[in-house]
Amino acid sequence: MRRSLSLTAVLTAAAALVAPGVSSAAPAPVTTVAWVQCPAEVAGRGLECGTLQVPLDYREPGGRKIEVMISRLASANPEKRRGILLTNPGGPSPGLSFPADLKSFGLPQGVLDAYDVIGVDPRGMGHSTPATCDLTQEEQFAGSVPPYAVTPADVRERAVEVREIARKCAASSTAYLLPHNTTANIARDLDRVRAALGEPKASFLGYSYGTYLGAVYTTLFPRTTDRVVIDSNLGAGGWDVEGGRMFGRGVEDTFPDFAKWAAAHPEFGLGSTPGQVRAKYFELAARLDRAPVQGLTGPQFRALTFGRLYGTGDAAFAKMAAEWMALDTNTPPPPDDTPIPPGLENLIAGRYYVVCGDSRWPTSVRTYERNVAVDRVRHPMFGAAAANIYPCAFWADPVEQPVRISDRGPRNVLMVQNERDPATPLAGARTTRRAFGDRAAMLTIDQGGHGAYALGGNKCANDEVTAYLLGGQRPAHDLRCAAEAPAPTPARVPLPTIG
Protein backbone atom coordinates (compact mmCIF):
# COMPACT_ATOMS: atom_id res chain seq x y z
CA MET A 1 0.00 0.00 0.00
CA ARG A 2 1.44 3.38 -1.02
CA ARG A 3 1.93 5.65 1.95
CA SER A 4 0.61 9.20 1.73
CA LEU A 5 2.87 12.25 1.74
CA SER A 6 3.42 12.23 5.50
CA LEU A 7 1.20 9.62 7.08
CA THR A 8 3.62 9.16 9.94
CA ALA A 9 3.91 12.91 10.44
CA VAL A 10 0.11 13.19 10.52
CA LEU A 11 0.05 10.34 13.00
CA THR A 12 2.70 12.02 15.12
CA ALA A 13 0.75 15.29 15.04
CA ALA A 14 -2.53 13.61 15.77
CA ALA A 15 0.01 11.13 17.52
CA ALA A 16 -6.21 16.31 38.35
CA LEU A 17 -9.04 18.10 44.26
CA VAL A 18 -7.86 14.86 45.98
CA ALA A 19 -10.60 12.25 46.38
CA PRO A 20 -11.89 11.57 49.87
CA GLY A 21 -10.04 8.70 51.44
CA VAL A 22 -6.94 9.04 49.23
CA SER A 23 -3.90 10.07 51.23
CA SER A 24 -1.39 12.02 49.17
CA ALA A 25 0.72 13.55 51.92
CA ALA A 26 1.44 10.38 53.91
CA PRO A 27 4.84 8.83 53.24
CA ALA A 28 4.73 6.12 50.61
CA PRO A 29 5.44 2.64 51.97
CA VAL A 30 8.93 1.46 51.14
CA THR A 31 8.75 -1.16 48.41
CA THR A 32 11.50 -2.71 46.37
CA VAL A 33 12.60 -2.17 42.78
CA ALA A 34 13.24 -5.48 41.06
CA TRP A 35 16.13 -4.77 38.69
CA VAL A 36 15.71 -6.66 35.43
CA GLN A 37 17.17 -6.79 31.95
CA CYS A 38 16.16 -3.78 29.88
CA PRO A 39 13.79 -4.30 26.94
CA ALA A 40 15.44 -4.64 23.56
CA GLU A 41 14.52 -1.16 22.36
CA VAL A 42 16.54 0.53 25.14
CA ALA A 43 19.31 -2.04 25.51
CA GLY A 44 22.81 -0.70 24.98
CA ARG A 45 21.93 2.88 25.87
CA GLY A 46 23.53 2.96 29.32
CA LEU A 47 20.29 2.37 31.22
CA GLU A 48 19.39 0.07 34.08
CA CYS A 49 15.77 -1.11 34.22
CA GLY A 50 13.53 -2.23 37.04
CA THR A 51 9.93 -2.94 37.95
CA LEU A 52 7.87 -1.80 40.91
CA GLN A 53 4.52 -3.01 42.23
CA VAL A 54 2.05 -0.18 42.95
CA PRO A 55 -1.62 -0.17 43.99
CA LEU A 56 -4.15 -0.21 41.19
CA ASP A 57 -6.40 1.93 43.40
CA TYR A 58 -4.70 4.11 46.00
CA ARG A 59 -7.93 4.19 48.00
CA GLU A 60 -7.25 0.48 48.60
CA PRO A 61 -3.46 0.37 49.00
CA GLY A 62 -3.51 -3.25 50.13
CA GLY A 63 -5.59 -4.38 47.17
CA ARG A 64 -4.77 -5.35 43.62
CA LYS A 65 -1.33 -4.36 42.33
CA ILE A 66 -0.07 -3.37 38.89
CA GLU A 67 3.47 -3.04 37.62
CA VAL A 68 5.41 0.06 36.65
CA MET A 69 8.71 -0.19 34.77
CA ILE A 70 11.45 2.39 35.33
CA SER A 71 14.89 3.09 33.90
CA ARG A 72 17.92 4.70 35.51
CA LEU A 73 20.79 6.57 33.88
CA ALA A 74 23.06 6.57 36.91
CA SER A 75 25.44 9.39 37.73
CA ALA A 76 29.02 8.39 37.04
CA ASN A 77 30.31 10.95 39.54
CA PRO A 78 29.39 9.97 43.12
CA GLU A 79 31.09 13.05 44.57
CA LYS A 80 28.75 15.37 42.65
CA ARG A 81 25.57 13.27 42.84
CA ARG A 82 22.79 15.00 44.77
CA GLY A 83 19.74 12.80 44.12
CA ILE A 84 17.34 11.59 41.44
CA LEU A 85 15.69 13.46 38.59
CA LEU A 86 12.36 11.92 37.58
CA THR A 87 11.50 12.68 33.96
CA ASN A 88 8.52 12.58 31.63
CA PRO A 89 8.58 13.21 27.85
CA GLY A 90 4.94 14.23 27.46
CA GLY A 91 2.24 12.47 25.52
CA PRO A 92 1.02 10.80 27.72
CA SER A 93 3.64 8.43 26.31
CA PRO A 94 6.10 5.81 27.55
CA GLY A 95 9.22 7.33 29.09
CA LEU A 96 11.58 4.41 29.60
CA SER A 97 14.09 5.62 27.01
CA PHE A 98 13.79 9.29 27.92
CA PRO A 99 16.89 9.59 30.15
CA ALA A 100 19.04 8.31 27.28
CA ASP A 101 17.14 10.56 24.85
CA LEU A 102 17.83 13.59 27.03
CA LYS A 103 21.51 12.75 27.10
CA SER A 104 21.60 12.55 23.30
CA PHE A 105 19.62 15.79 23.00
CA GLY A 106 22.24 17.62 25.06
CA LEU A 107 21.30 17.44 28.74
CA PRO A 108 24.37 19.10 30.32
CA GLN A 109 27.04 16.85 31.78
CA GLY A 110 26.77 18.69 35.08
CA VAL A 111 23.13 17.58 35.37
CA LEU A 112 24.05 14.01 34.40
CA ASP A 113 26.70 14.06 37.16
CA ALA A 114 24.35 15.54 39.76
CA TYR A 115 21.45 13.14 39.28
CA ASP A 116 20.48 9.62 38.55
CA VAL A 117 18.07 10.41 35.71
CA ILE A 118 14.95 8.24 35.98
CA GLY A 119 12.56 7.31 33.20
CA VAL A 120 9.12 5.84 33.82
CA ASP A 121 6.61 4.09 31.61
CA PRO A 122 3.39 5.47 33.14
CA ARG A 123 0.78 2.96 34.24
CA GLY A 124 -1.01 1.53 31.23
CA MET A 125 1.79 2.35 28.79
CA GLY A 126 4.85 0.68 27.33
CA HIS A 127 6.33 -1.96 29.62
CA SER A 128 4.18 -1.07 32.61
CA THR A 129 0.91 -3.00 33.00
CA PRO A 130 -0.47 -2.16 29.54
CA ALA A 131 -3.85 -0.80 28.51
CA THR A 132 -5.66 -1.62 25.30
CA CYS A 133 -8.81 -0.57 23.48
CA ASP A 134 -8.43 -3.20 20.72
CA LEU A 135 -8.27 -0.38 18.19
CA THR A 136 -8.20 -1.10 14.48
CA GLN A 137 -5.29 0.21 12.44
CA GLU A 138 -7.53 2.97 11.09
CA GLU A 139 -8.53 3.98 14.63
CA GLN A 140 -4.88 4.00 15.68
CA PHE A 141 -3.84 6.10 12.70
CA ALA A 142 -6.58 8.62 13.52
CA GLY A 143 -4.40 9.53 16.49
CA SER A 144 -5.39 11.29 19.67
CA VAL A 145 -6.07 14.78 18.26
CA PRO A 146 -9.35 14.94 16.33
CA PRO A 147 -9.48 15.64 12.59
CA TYR A 148 -10.40 19.06 11.26
CA ALA A 149 -14.18 19.30 10.92
CA VAL A 150 -14.76 20.87 7.52
CA THR A 151 -18.55 20.91 8.02
CA PRO A 152 -20.89 20.46 11.03
CA ALA A 153 -21.71 17.01 9.68
CA ASP A 154 -18.05 16.06 10.21
CA VAL A 155 -18.50 16.52 13.97
CA ARG A 156 -21.49 14.16 13.98
CA GLU A 157 -19.59 11.64 11.86
CA ARG A 158 -16.61 11.81 14.22
CA ALA A 159 -18.98 11.37 17.18
CA VAL A 160 -20.07 8.00 15.79
CA GLU A 161 -16.43 6.94 15.44
CA VAL A 162 -15.31 8.03 18.91
CA ARG A 163 -18.41 6.56 20.58
CA GLU A 164 -17.28 3.21 19.17
CA ILE A 165 -13.72 3.81 20.44
CA ALA A 166 -15.07 4.55 23.93
CA ARG A 167 -17.24 1.41 23.80
CA LYS A 168 -14.25 -0.72 22.81
CA CYS A 169 -12.12 0.72 25.61
CA ALA A 170 -14.86 -0.04 28.14
CA ALA A 171 -15.24 -3.61 26.82
CA SER A 172 -11.51 -4.36 26.56
CA SER A 173 -9.61 -6.91 28.62
CA THR A 174 -7.95 -4.05 30.53
CA ALA A 175 -11.10 -2.09 31.32
CA TYR A 176 -10.42 -2.66 35.03
CA LEU A 177 -7.65 -0.05 34.63
CA LEU A 178 -9.99 2.64 33.31
CA PRO A 179 -10.99 4.34 36.59
CA HIS A 180 -7.43 4.32 37.88
CA ASN A 181 -5.12 5.30 35.00
CA THR A 182 -5.16 8.99 35.82
CA THR A 183 -2.56 11.70 36.15
CA ALA A 184 -3.14 11.80 39.92
CA ASN A 185 -2.36 8.09 40.21
CA ILE A 186 0.66 8.39 37.90
CA ALA A 187 1.90 11.12 40.28
CA ARG A 188 1.34 8.79 43.23
CA ASP A 189 3.30 6.12 41.36
CA LEU A 190 6.18 8.61 41.01
CA ASP A 191 6.30 9.07 44.75
CA ARG A 192 6.39 5.29 45.16
CA VAL A 193 9.36 5.22 42.76
CA ARG A 194 11.11 7.87 44.85
CA ALA A 195 10.57 5.92 48.06
CA ALA A 196 11.59 2.61 46.49
CA LEU A 197 14.88 4.18 45.38
CA GLY A 198 15.55 5.28 48.95
CA GLU A 199 15.43 9.01 48.24
CA PRO A 200 13.91 11.48 50.73
CA LYS A 201 13.08 13.84 47.86
CA ALA A 202 12.98 13.74 44.06
CA SER A 203 13.51 16.44 41.47
CA PHE A 204 11.41 16.41 38.30
CA LEU A 205 11.83 17.43 34.65
CA GLY A 206 8.77 17.13 32.42
CA TYR A 207 7.71 18.37 29.01
CA SER A 208 4.29 18.99 27.44
CA TYR A 209 1.77 16.65 29.16
CA GLY A 210 4.61 16.01 31.61
CA THR A 211 4.19 19.59 32.85
CA TYR A 212 0.70 18.77 34.07
CA LEU A 213 1.99 15.55 35.63
CA GLY A 214 4.75 17.54 37.36
CA ALA A 215 2.28 20.16 38.56
CA VAL A 216 -0.01 17.47 40.00
CA TYR A 217 2.96 15.62 41.51
CA THR A 218 4.33 18.62 43.39
CA THR A 219 0.81 19.67 44.44
CA LEU A 220 0.12 16.25 45.96
CA PHE A 221 3.62 15.80 47.38
CA PRO A 222 5.08 19.24 48.18
CA ARG A 223 7.31 17.87 50.95
CA THR A 224 8.99 15.17 48.85
CA THR A 225 9.50 17.08 45.60
CA ASP A 226 12.79 18.92 45.35
CA ARG A 227 13.54 21.01 42.22
CA VAL A 228 10.72 20.93 39.67
CA VAL A 229 11.19 22.05 36.05
CA ILE A 230 8.20 21.94 33.70
CA ASP A 231 8.73 22.87 30.05
CA SER A 232 6.03 23.64 27.42
CA ASN A 233 3.17 23.93 29.83
CA LEU A 234 -0.40 22.77 29.62
CA GLY A 235 -3.01 24.92 31.33
CA ALA A 236 -3.96 24.39 34.95
CA GLY A 237 -6.72 21.95 33.95
CA GLY A 238 -4.39 19.70 31.99
CA TRP A 239 -5.59 18.11 28.77
CA ASP A 240 -9.30 18.69 29.39
CA VAL A 241 -11.79 19.98 26.83
CA GLU A 242 -10.42 23.52 27.06
CA GLY A 243 -6.83 22.29 27.01
CA GLY A 244 -7.56 20.46 23.77
CA ARG A 245 -9.04 23.59 22.22
CA MET A 246 -5.73 25.37 22.95
CA PHE A 247 -4.14 23.63 19.95
CA GLY A 248 -6.07 26.04 17.71
CA ARG A 249 -4.61 29.03 19.52
CA GLY A 250 -1.13 27.45 19.41
CA VAL A 251 -1.11 27.09 15.63
CA GLU A 252 -2.17 30.71 15.18
CA ASP A 253 0.62 31.82 17.56
CA THR A 254 3.33 29.74 15.90
CA PHE A 255 2.54 29.78 12.18
CA PRO A 256 3.82 33.35 11.58
CA ASP A 257 7.38 32.14 12.23
CA PHE A 258 7.09 29.67 9.34
CA ALA A 259 5.27 32.17 7.13
CA LYS A 260 8.05 34.72 7.57
CA TRP A 261 10.67 32.07 6.80
CA ALA A 262 8.87 30.76 3.71
CA ALA A 263 8.36 34.28 2.35
CA ALA A 264 12.13 34.77 2.57
CA HIS A 265 12.71 31.57 0.54
CA PRO A 266 11.09 32.12 -2.85
CA GLU A 267 12.49 28.85 -4.20
CA PHE A 268 9.50 27.07 -2.63
CA GLY A 269 6.94 29.26 -4.40
CA LEU A 270 4.64 29.63 -1.39
CA GLY A 271 4.39 33.42 -1.46
CA SER A 272 6.56 36.48 -1.25
CA THR A 273 4.97 37.83 1.95
CA PRO A 274 3.86 36.13 5.17
CA GLY A 275 0.28 36.97 4.27
CA GLN A 276 0.61 35.14 0.95
CA VAL A 277 2.06 32.09 2.71
CA ARG A 278 -0.90 32.05 5.09
CA ALA A 279 -3.25 32.32 2.12
CA LYS A 280 -1.45 29.37 0.50
CA TYR A 281 -2.26 27.27 3.59
CA PHE A 282 -5.97 27.92 3.17
CA GLU A 283 -5.77 27.40 -0.58
CA LEU A 284 -4.07 24.01 -0.18
CA ALA A 285 -6.45 22.94 2.60
CA ALA A 286 -9.50 23.81 0.51
CA ARG A 287 -8.09 22.02 -2.54
CA LEU A 288 -7.42 18.89 -0.51
CA ASP A 289 -10.87 19.09 1.07
CA ARG A 290 -12.28 18.74 -2.44
CA ALA A 291 -9.98 15.88 -3.47
CA PRO A 292 -6.91 14.25 -1.87
CA VAL A 293 -3.53 14.86 -3.47
CA GLN A 294 -0.85 12.18 -3.09
CA GLY A 295 -3.13 10.41 -0.62
CA LEU A 296 -3.43 13.41 1.69
CA THR A 297 -6.80 14.92 2.65
CA GLY A 298 -7.47 18.44 3.88
CA PRO A 299 -7.79 17.42 7.54
CA GLN A 300 -4.56 15.41 7.26
CA PHE A 301 -2.76 18.38 5.69
CA ARG A 302 -3.84 20.57 8.61
CA ALA A 303 -2.66 17.94 11.10
CA LEU A 304 0.62 17.61 9.22
CA THR A 305 1.20 21.36 9.48
CA PHE A 306 0.35 21.29 13.19
CA GLY A 307 2.92 18.57 13.77
CA ARG A 308 5.62 20.22 11.68
CA LEU A 309 5.29 23.43 13.73
CA TYR A 310 6.68 21.54 16.72
CA GLY A 311 10.14 22.03 15.18
CA THR A 312 12.05 25.24 14.54
CA GLY A 313 14.93 26.40 12.39
CA ASP A 314 15.90 26.05 8.76
CA ALA A 315 15.76 22.25 8.56
CA ALA A 316 12.27 21.93 10.05
CA PHE A 317 10.83 24.79 8.02
CA ALA A 318 12.49 23.63 4.79
CA LYS A 319 10.97 20.17 5.24
CA MET A 320 7.48 21.60 5.64
CA ALA A 321 7.95 24.02 2.75
CA ALA A 322 9.09 21.19 0.47
CA GLU A 323 6.02 19.15 1.41
CA TRP A 324 3.75 22.09 0.66
CA MET A 325 5.45 22.69 -2.67
CA ALA A 326 5.00 19.03 -3.62
CA LEU A 327 1.31 19.25 -2.84
CA ASP A 328 0.94 22.55 -4.66
CA THR A 329 2.60 21.24 -7.81
CA ASN A 330 1.54 17.58 -7.46
CA THR A 331 5.15 16.43 -7.71
CA PRO A 332 6.82 13.62 -5.75
CA PRO A 333 7.21 14.59 -2.08
CA PRO A 334 10.51 14.50 -0.21
CA PRO A 335 11.22 11.27 1.70
CA ASP A 336 9.39 11.08 5.01
CA ASP A 337 11.67 9.84 7.78
CA THR A 338 9.21 10.40 10.63
CA PRO A 339 9.14 7.11 12.55
CA ILE A 340 5.89 5.36 13.39
CA PRO A 341 5.92 5.09 17.20
CA PRO A 342 6.31 1.50 18.36
CA GLY A 343 3.34 -0.04 20.17
CA LEU A 344 0.94 2.37 18.51
CA GLU A 345 -2.28 0.75 19.76
CA ASN A 346 -1.07 0.86 23.33
CA LEU A 347 0.15 4.45 22.88
CA ILE A 348 -3.21 5.72 21.66
CA ALA A 349 -5.30 3.58 24.02
CA GLY A 350 -3.13 4.41 27.03
CA ARG A 351 -3.39 8.10 26.19
CA TYR A 352 -7.20 7.93 26.02
CA TYR A 353 -7.29 6.20 29.40
CA VAL A 354 -5.45 9.11 31.03
CA VAL A 355 -6.89 12.08 29.14
CA CYS A 356 -10.49 10.88 29.38
CA GLY A 357 -10.11 9.67 32.96
CA ASP A 358 -8.66 12.91 34.32
CA SER A 359 -11.74 15.11 34.00
CA ARG A 360 -15.39 15.11 32.93
CA TRP A 361 -15.87 16.14 29.30
CA PRO A 362 -19.09 17.54 27.80
CA THR A 363 -21.38 14.70 26.74
CA SER A 364 -23.54 16.54 24.19
CA VAL A 365 -22.48 16.32 20.55
CA ARG A 366 -24.07 19.73 20.01
CA THR A 367 -21.59 21.24 22.47
CA TYR A 368 -18.74 20.16 20.19
CA GLU A 369 -20.59 21.40 17.12
CA ARG A 370 -20.87 24.82 18.77
CA ASN A 371 -17.22 24.76 19.89
CA VAL A 372 -16.10 23.87 16.37
CA ALA A 373 -18.21 26.65 14.85
CA VAL A 374 -16.73 29.20 17.26
CA ASP A 375 -13.13 28.05 16.91
CA ARG A 376 -13.32 27.75 13.11
CA VAL A 377 -13.76 31.54 13.16
CA ARG A 378 -11.57 32.34 16.16
CA HIS A 379 -8.65 30.11 15.11
CA PRO A 380 -9.30 29.29 11.45
CA MET A 381 -6.12 27.35 10.77
CA PHE A 382 -6.70 24.49 13.23
CA GLY A 383 -9.51 25.45 15.61
CA ALA A 384 -12.07 23.16 13.97
CA ALA A 385 -9.79 20.20 14.72
CA ALA A 386 -8.84 21.21 18.26
CA ALA A 387 -12.49 21.71 19.26
CA ASN A 388 -13.76 18.51 17.61
CA ILE A 389 -15.16 15.65 19.67
CA TYR A 390 -13.02 13.13 21.60
CA PRO A 391 -13.91 9.64 22.88
CA CYS A 392 -13.89 11.34 26.31
CA ALA A 393 -17.43 12.57 25.57
CA PHE A 394 -18.63 8.98 26.00
CA TRP A 395 -16.41 7.99 28.93
CA ALA A 396 -17.51 6.99 32.41
CA ASP A 397 -17.34 9.75 35.00
CA PRO A 398 -13.99 10.05 36.82
CA VAL A 399 -13.77 8.35 40.21
CA GLU A 400 -12.09 11.40 41.76
CA GLN A 401 -12.11 15.10 41.10
CA PRO A 402 -9.17 16.63 39.20
CA VAL A 403 -6.27 17.81 41.34
CA ARG A 404 -6.42 21.57 41.77
CA ILE A 405 -2.93 23.00 41.20
CA SER A 406 -2.04 24.79 44.40
CA ASP A 407 0.20 27.59 45.65
CA ARG A 408 0.70 25.74 48.94
CA GLY A 409 4.24 24.44 49.23
CA PRO A 410 7.86 25.49 48.74
CA ARG A 411 9.03 27.87 46.03
CA ASN A 412 10.49 25.07 43.96
CA VAL A 413 8.80 25.22 40.53
CA LEU A 414 10.50 26.66 37.44
CA MET A 415 8.26 26.89 34.40
CA VAL A 416 9.91 27.15 30.96
CA GLN A 417 7.78 28.33 28.05
CA ASN A 418 8.29 29.29 24.43
CA GLU A 419 6.21 32.33 23.61
CA ARG A 420 4.98 30.61 20.44
CA ASP A 421 4.12 26.93 20.93
CA PRO A 422 1.67 25.03 18.68
CA ALA A 423 0.48 22.52 21.30
CA THR A 424 0.87 24.26 24.65
CA PRO A 425 0.53 27.99 23.95
CA LEU A 426 1.59 30.72 26.32
CA ALA A 427 -2.04 31.56 27.14
CA GLY A 428 -2.51 28.15 28.75
CA ALA A 429 0.83 28.25 30.54
CA ARG A 430 -0.19 31.50 32.19
CA THR A 431 -3.14 29.78 33.90
CA THR A 432 -0.74 27.27 35.46
CA ARG A 433 1.57 30.11 36.47
CA ARG A 434 -1.34 31.86 38.23
CA ALA A 435 -2.39 28.64 39.96
CA PHE A 436 1.08 28.13 41.42
CA GLY A 437 1.34 31.70 42.70
CA ASP A 438 4.57 32.25 44.64
CA ARG A 439 5.56 28.61 44.30
CA ALA A 440 6.66 29.19 40.69
CA ALA A 441 8.70 31.46 38.49
CA MET A 442 8.21 31.37 34.73
CA LEU A 443 10.92 31.75 32.13
CA THR A 444 9.49 32.74 28.74
CA ILE A 445 11.55 32.56 25.57
CA ASP A 446 11.12 34.62 22.41
CA GLN A 447 10.98 31.61 20.08
CA GLY A 448 8.59 29.11 18.57
CA GLY A 449 8.36 25.34 18.69
CA HIS A 450 7.47 22.77 21.30
CA GLY A 451 10.09 22.15 23.96
CA ALA A 452 13.04 24.29 25.04
CA TYR A 453 15.44 23.04 27.71
CA ALA A 454 18.22 20.77 26.41
CA LEU A 455 16.44 20.45 23.07
CA GLY A 456 18.80 22.57 20.99
CA GLY A 457 17.24 25.86 22.00
CA ASN A 458 18.01 29.12 23.68
CA LYS A 459 21.30 29.46 25.65
CA CYS A 460 19.82 31.97 28.08
CA ALA A 461 17.04 29.53 29.01
CA ASN A 462 19.33 26.51 29.12
CA ASP A 463 21.73 28.30 31.46
CA GLU A 464 18.93 29.40 33.82
CA VAL A 465 17.44 25.91 34.06
CA THR A 466 20.81 24.22 34.52
CA ALA A 467 21.75 26.69 37.27
CA TYR A 468 18.52 25.83 39.07
CA LEU A 469 18.92 22.06 38.76
CA LEU A 470 22.55 22.21 39.92
CA GLY A 471 22.61 24.98 42.50
CA GLY A 472 18.97 25.66 43.35
CA GLN A 473 19.21 29.25 42.07
CA ARG A 474 15.69 29.61 40.81
CA PRO A 475 14.91 33.10 39.52
CA ALA A 476 13.21 35.21 42.17
CA HIS A 477 10.86 36.65 39.55
CA ASP A 478 9.54 35.74 36.12
CA LEU A 479 12.15 36.27 33.40
CA ARG A 480 12.19 36.57 29.63
CA CYS A 481 14.96 35.30 27.34
CA ALA A 482 15.44 37.20 24.09
CA ALA A 483 15.45 35.47 20.72
CA GLU A 484 18.68 33.85 19.58
CA ALA A 485 19.63 32.28 16.27
CA PRO A 486 17.26 29.31 15.99
CA ALA A 487 18.78 25.88 16.38
CA PRO A 488 17.18 22.70 15.03
CA THR A 489 15.07 20.78 17.52
CA PRO A 490 15.41 17.01 17.78
CA ALA A 491 12.68 14.72 16.56
CA ARG A 492 10.66 13.17 19.35
CA VAL A 493 7.08 12.26 20.10
CA PRO A 494 5.71 14.83 22.54
CA LEU A 495 2.08 15.66 23.67
CA PRO A 496 -0.36 14.74 20.99
CA THR A 497 1.86 13.86 19.32
CA ILE A 498 0.49 16.51 23.17
CA GLY A 499 2.48 17.05 24.67
Side-chain angles (χ1 to χ4, degrees):
M1 181 179 69
R2 182 176 181 272
R3 195 166 66 177
S4 63
L5 173 64
S6 284
L7 174 61
T8 52
V10 171
L11 171 63
T12 300
L17 299 168
V18 179
V22 179
S23 173
S24 297
V30 177
T31 52
T32 302
V33 175
W35 296 103
V36 299
Q37 184 175 349
C38 284
E41 64 267 25
V42 297
R45 302 193 66 189
L47 299 174
E48 304 166 276
C49 296
T51 61
L52 182 69
Q53 300 293 310
V54 298
L56 170 67
D57 184 350
Y58 277 90
R59 297 170 301 178
E60 298 181 6
R64 185 172 185 173
K65 299 294 191 292
I66 59 173
E67 189 170 86
V68 170
M69 178 167 270
I70 70 170
S71 64
R72 177 170 65 188
L73 181 62
S75 166
N77 195 330
E79 293 183 358
K80 292 185 177 180
R81 183 190 181 278
R82 65 174 309 274
I84 61 171
L85 180 66
L86 299 169
T87 64
N88 184 275
S93 301
L96 201 67
S97 70
F98 199 48
D101 294 338
L102 284 169
K103 182 178 180 179
S104 66
F105 293 162
L107 190 67
Q109 186 61 47
V111 177
L112 295 170
D113 288 341
Y115 295 95
D116 292 347
V117 185
I118 308 298
V120 182
D121 277 355
R123 55 170 59 202
M125 309 198 79
H127 294 277
S128 296
T129 299
T132 183
C133 290
D134 300 315
L135 301 176
T136 66
Q137 188 177 72
E138 183 178 2
E139 288 166 339
Q140 296 170 42
F141 280 179
S144 49
V145 175
Y148 190 96
V150 180
T151 70
D154 291 336
V155 181
R156 297 189 290 273
E157 181 179 338
R158 179 64 177 166
V160 173
E161 297 168 355
V162 297
R163 185 190 292 272
E164 174 62 9
I165 289 174
R167 184 200 67 78
K168 292 172 77 170
C169 293
S172 74
S173 60
T174 60
Y176 70 95
L177 298 170
L178 280 170
H180 311 295
N181 281 24
T182 62
T183 298
N185 279 337
I186 296 170
R188 294 174 181 123
D189 294 344
L190 291 181
D191 203 56
R192 290 292 180 108
V193 171
R194 173 202 59 78
L197 292 173
E199 299 289 337
K201 291 187 175 185
S203 294
F204 180 87
L205 172 62
Y207 298 80
S208 197
Y209 160 79
T211 64
Y212 182 57
L213 173 60
V216 170
Y217 176 44
T218 196
T219 295
L220 292 179
F221 300 100
R223 291 196 295 270
T224 54
T225 48
D226 189 10
R227 298 168 186 173
V228 176
V229 177
I230 49 179
D231 184 322
S232 307
N233 292 265
L234 280 169
W239 194 349
D240 58 6
V241 64
E242 292 305 318
R245 292 176 75 179
M246 278 287 180
F247 301 151
R249 170 70 178 267
V251 170
E252 298 289 347
D253 287 351
T254 311
F255 185 79
D257 287 354
F258 170 72
K260 181 179 178 181
W261 184 94
H265 290 77
E267 64 271 23
F268 293 103
L270 303 180
S272 57
T273 67
Q276 290 176 354
V277 176
R278 181 178 172 91
K280 178 61 71 174
Y281 171 88
F282 291 108
E283 176 192 329
L284 286 172
R287 191 189 312 172
L288 295 167
D289 285 338
R290 293 191 294 271
V293 173
Q294 299 179 22
L296 207 69
T297 66
Q300 289 173 333
F301 166 71
R302 296 175 178 94
L304 169 63
T305 299
F306 170 57
R308 290 296 188 224
L309 289 172
Y310 275 57
T312 59
D314 288 348
F317 287 163
K319 186 178 185 69
M320 184 160 78
E323 290 168 341
W324 281 33
M325 184 173 67
L327 288 169
D328 195 31
T329 59
N330 200 12
T331 56
D336 179 21
D337 57 0
T338 307
I340 295 178
L344 182 58
E345 200 281 336
N346 171 248
L347 175 69
I348 301 301
R351 189 168 293 172
Y352 284 146
Y353 273 49
V354 176
V355 172
C356 299
D358 270 355
S359 63
R360 192 173 188 274
W361 290 60
T363 58
S364 167
V365 176
R366 288 187 177 181
T367 297
Y368 297 92
E369 290 185 51
R370 287 194 297 270
N371 289 351
V372 164
V374 169
D375 287 6
R376 182 183 289 114
V377 174
R378 185 170 59 174
H379 305 308
M381 298 190 76
F382 201 62
N388 203 351
I389 192 166
Y390 284 69
C392 308
F394 305 105
W395 222 253
D397 287 343
V399 297
E400 65 173 304
Q401 294 297 310
V403 173
R404 185 181 181 89
I405 306 306
S406 170
D407 62 356
R408 295 187 296 275
R411 294 166 55 92
N412 67 338
V413 179
L414 178 58
M415 299 175 61
V416 185
Q417 183 67 37
N418 291 335
E419 292 183 353
R420 300 175 298 284
D421 186 312
T424 54
L426 181 59
R430 283 173 170 156
T431 68
T432 298
R433 173 68 186 87
R434 288 194 294 270
F436 270 128
D438 288 342
R439 287 202 68 187
M442 186 159 76
L443 181 65
T444 56
I445 311 162
D446 182 8
Q447 67 182 20
H450 189 57
Y453 178 61
L455 301 180
N458 183 281
K459 183 178 184 301
C460 161
N462 286 338
D463 288 349
E464 289 287 348
V465 177
T466 298
Y468 177 52
L469 287 174
L470 295 184
Q473 296 115 350
R474 199 206 72 177
H477 306 287
D478 293 353
L479 294 177
R480 182 175 187 268
C481 285
E484 297 175 3
T489 54
R492 65 185 184 92
V493 182
L495 173 83
T497 113
I498 135 197

